[in-house]
């Protein structure tokens, strides 16, 4: 051994387990979610994305209504199409789009091969996370598109943790 440390940026990407992803959902629960909360959360996502110079589009939906949308430099119309596809997965399954894909992979298959849903309308790729309100359930989603799927997922989770003070 050379005795040199391997820094995290050179370490292989560690994919979270289904259990870790489910734990994120149990932890990231809102007491309420208003129009003002959507604006504040969306604004925080924009602020953090700008700090990272992330070329993302950001979307927050509640009960079928778009409450927030932003497209940062470098994002494209394709990001909006990905947002819609990932959001539909959250709406249908009540779980994060990345978690839904991970559950299919854990069964030895893929969402595309086994869900029987139109891949032009649904994408179980990371970046859409349910807005779960305590005592109510999933009422909407917060979605980011523009980074590799695990980075989209982690960006949303980290922002939700900061927003909720966790």
């Amino acid at each position: 051994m050379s005795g040199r440390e391997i820094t995290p940026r050179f370490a292989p990407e560690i994919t979270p387990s289904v259990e870790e992803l489910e734990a994120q959902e149990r932890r990231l629960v809102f007491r309420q979610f208003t129009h003002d909360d959507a604006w504040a959360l969306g604004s925080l996502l924009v602020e953090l994305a700008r700090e990272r110079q992330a070329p993302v589009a950001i979307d927050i939906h509640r009960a079928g209504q778009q409450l927030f949308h932003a497209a940062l430099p470098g994002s494209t119309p394709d990001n909006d199409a990905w947002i819609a596809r990932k959001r539909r997965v959250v709406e249908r399954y009540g779980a994060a789009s990345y978690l839904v894909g991970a559950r299919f992979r854990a069964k030895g298959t893929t969402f595309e091969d086994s869900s029987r849903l139109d891949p032009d309308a649904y994408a179980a790729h990371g970046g859409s996370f349910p807005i779960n309100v305590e005592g109510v359930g999933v009422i909407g989603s917060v979605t980011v598109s523009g980074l590799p799927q695990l980075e989209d997922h982690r960006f949303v989770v980290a922002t939700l943790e900061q927003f909720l003070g966790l």
Side-chain angles (χ1 to χ4, degrees):
M1 286 199 105
S2 67
R4 294 188 331 207
E5 276 188 2
I6 297 175
T7 60
R9 64 188 173 117
F10 297 113
E13 190 72 44
I14 298 172
T15 305
S17 68
V18 168
E19 293 76 21
E20 290 172 284
L21 296 167
E22 289 171 343
Q24 289 173 346
E25 290 196 3
R26 285 190 300 273
R27 198 174 74 254
L28 298 172
V29 176
F30 291 81
R31 287 197 197 108
Q32 64 175 17
F33 195 80
T34 67
H35 286 77
D36 289 338
D37 294 323
W39 179 260
L41 176 57
S43 297
L44 179 61
L45 283 158
V46 167
E47 176 187 337
L48 297 174
R50 284 182 192 229
E51 286 175 8
R52 293 172 171 86
Q53 298 181 343
V56 297
I58 299 163
D59 175 88
I60 299 176
H61 263 70
R62 184 187 72 183
Q65 182 183 20
Q66 185 178 55
L67 300 183
F68 186 93
H69 183 271
L72 298 181
S75 65
T76 70
D78 286 343
N79 296 121
D80 290 326
W82 276 100
I83 282 172
R85 293 168 62 214
K86 293 190 277 189
R87 185 186 72 242
R88 285 186 198 108
V89 168
V90 173
E91 291 168 350
R92 184 168 187 116
Y93 289 88
S97 54
Y98 193 79
L99 171 57
V100 172
R103 285 176 173 158
F104 278 90
R105 289 188 295 277
K107 293 176 187 173
T109 186
T110 66
F111 178 82
E112 295 78 10
D113 288 340
S114 298
S115 71
R116 304 181 69 119
L117 296 172
D118 181 356
D120 290 334
Y122 295 87
H125 290 252
S128 192
F129 202 90
I131 297 170
N132 189 0
V133 175
E134 190 176 297
V136 177
V138 176
I139 62 159
S141 61
V142 54
T143 310
V144 169
S145 175
L147 305 170
Q149 67 166 325
L150 184 53
E151 289 180 44
D152 276 347
H153 175 81
R154 287 185 169 150
F155 178 57
V156 172
V157 167
T159 305
L160 286 171
E161 287 170 342
Q162 182 175 333
F163 187 79
L164 293 169
L166 302 176

